[in-house]
Amino acid sequence: MPLPALEIEAQKLLNGNGRKNGQAVPTLWSERFAQRTQRMTSSVIRELLKLVEKPDVISFAGGLPAPDVFPCAEVEAATHKVLAEHGRAALQYAATEGYLPLRELLVRHMARYGIKVKPANVLITSGSQQGLDLIGKLFVNPGDRILTESPTYLGALQAWSAYQADYLTVPIDDDGLDVEQLEAQLRGGPKFLYILPNFQNPAGVTLSLERRRKLVELANHYGAPIVEDDPYGQLRYEGEHLPPIVQIDAEYHDCGGGDGEFTGDVLYLSTLSKTLAPGLRIAWVVAPESVIARLVQMKQGADLHTSTFGQMVAYEVARDGFLDRHVRRIRELYGQRRDAMLAALDRHFPQEARWTRPAGGLFLWLTLPAGLDSAALLRQALEQEKVAFVPGAAFFPRGGGERTCRLNFSYCGPDVIEEGIRRLGRVVKRLMAERR
Ligand SMILES: Cc1ncc(COP(=O)(O)O)c(C=O)c1O
């Protein structure tokens, strides 16, 4: 589809269905949207990206896991088992906190990577996205400042902007958050810090151990709690696992180990979306019990509880070591795809471009040669070469990033990656030649 047509389609999407001859059709409802929704605009880029789900477009845009590794057979077997053995409980309302055997399993799972808490410290949520929303609902007053990395996860900005948050930002480099620049922002009095330590979305970078320690020290010095969002920590393709911030903080306070009460200043979020399947919508928040009790109240207002049936199925799939075995399989597949994308970039991109080399996760981050703009690149890439990615500017809470792009490497197979990067490289070179 030529780009003007794409734009018209996107505009239609942005305008919603309530338009007639290009004019908004007022309804009693459209005059009654809450003031806070004025900040919640859809981005044209996001809407354009909805159009790239066409079969002939190679898309590095979504944050999608590879469906090749969805455990379909295991989910099918677990579904039968849950219905046969616990059908009535599975289809009934249940406790907001979540299915206890699943919470116990997650506690054992986390203990292996350094997080020592009890089931009472775990709240099951409908995706980590809901965890972020509940945190916004519980903590954010209009005008509160949240300190984020720049760039950061767009979904968190969407969740918290609805509660009228403002943002303080700290840039990142190849070792994650630049802790040298953190202190100045901490003086701005953030309500909390939002940190993605492992294979960050969007940039793919990992916070070094030294910086994790410095972050905890500084956050404690300024009395600022941390939200640690870790959907990708298990998906490491090289190097050693690094201790999560929640663990470093617990050691700093000498709490949260062994049988002691977990009272740390870090809320930790993780999810089964990237290690089993995102369609299950099962994730969890780790917090001190007093915070869990309040998050439970927030969740009751939202959805009472996460699907009982879904939690039971997820538990049956994950138990008896399957989750770990499955993660090993995913690591192998995604590691190959990451390598395929890095090799293709080396082959097809001009020297003036730079990109990160993620040790895990789903994304890498590309910085275009000086003078190029990633939104303009997306237009041309879609129109001329049918290839898509996400322009980076959307991930910067306070603007910037016009030369950056997020590329996903988990979804497409190596041949498609090679072809997509070849096409994208061609557009980049063409744009550079035009500038000259
Ligand atoms: C950093 C980050 N947090 C949260 C989420 C949401 O995950 P979930 O599918 O569990 O809602 C994502 C999804 O891509 C993510 O990248």
Side-chain angles (χ1 to χ4, degrees), residues 63 126-130 132 153 156 194 196 200-201 229-232 269-274 278 281-283 362-363 406:
S126 303
S128 273
Q129 191 61 40
Q130 183 182 53
L132 295 170
Y153 172 53
Y194 175 60
L196 300 117
Q200 201 242 26
N201 179 1
D229 191 2
D230 186 26
Y232 307 108
L269 287 84
S270 194
T271 177
L272 295 181
S273 285
K274 317 294 171 175
R281 309 306 302 133
I282 301 221
L362 267 56
F363 306 106
R406 188 190 75 175

Side-chain angles (χ1 to χ4, degrees), residues 78-92 99 101 308-309 312-313 315-316 319:
T79 302
H80 285 296
K81 185 164 185 228
V82 165
L83 287 174
E85 293 178 11
H86 316 282
R88 291 183 179 183
L91 299 178
Q92 187 55 283
Y99 182 50
T308 325
F309 182 58
M312 286 180 154
V313 169
Y315 168 71
E316 287 299 335
R319 62 185 290 184

Side-chain angles (χ1 to χ4, degrees), residues 56-113:
D56 57 343
V57 172
I58 295 180
S59 179
F60 303 130
L64 304 183
D68 327 32
V69 280
F70 288 162
C72 294
E74 289 77 7
V75 171
E76 190 181 351
T79 302
H80 285 296
K81 185 164 185 228
V82 165
L83 287 174
E85 293 178 11
H86 316 282
R88 291 183 179 183
L91 299 178
Q92 187 55 283
Y93 286 116
T96 307
E97 287 81 352
Y99 182 50
L100 186 57
L102 178 63
R103 286 156 64 215
E104 288 168 345
L105 180 149
L106 293 171
V107 163
R108 290 193 297 276
H109 182 67
M110 287 187 288
R112 287 206 299 282
Y113 54 95

Side-chain angles (χ1 to χ4, degrees), residues 123-142:
L123 169 67
I124 304 289
T125 55
S126 303
S128 273
Q129 191 61 40
Q130 183 182 53
L132 295 170
D133 184 60
L134 298 179
I135 287 169
K137 200 172 174 185
L138 182 58
F139 293 109
V140 178
N141 291 318

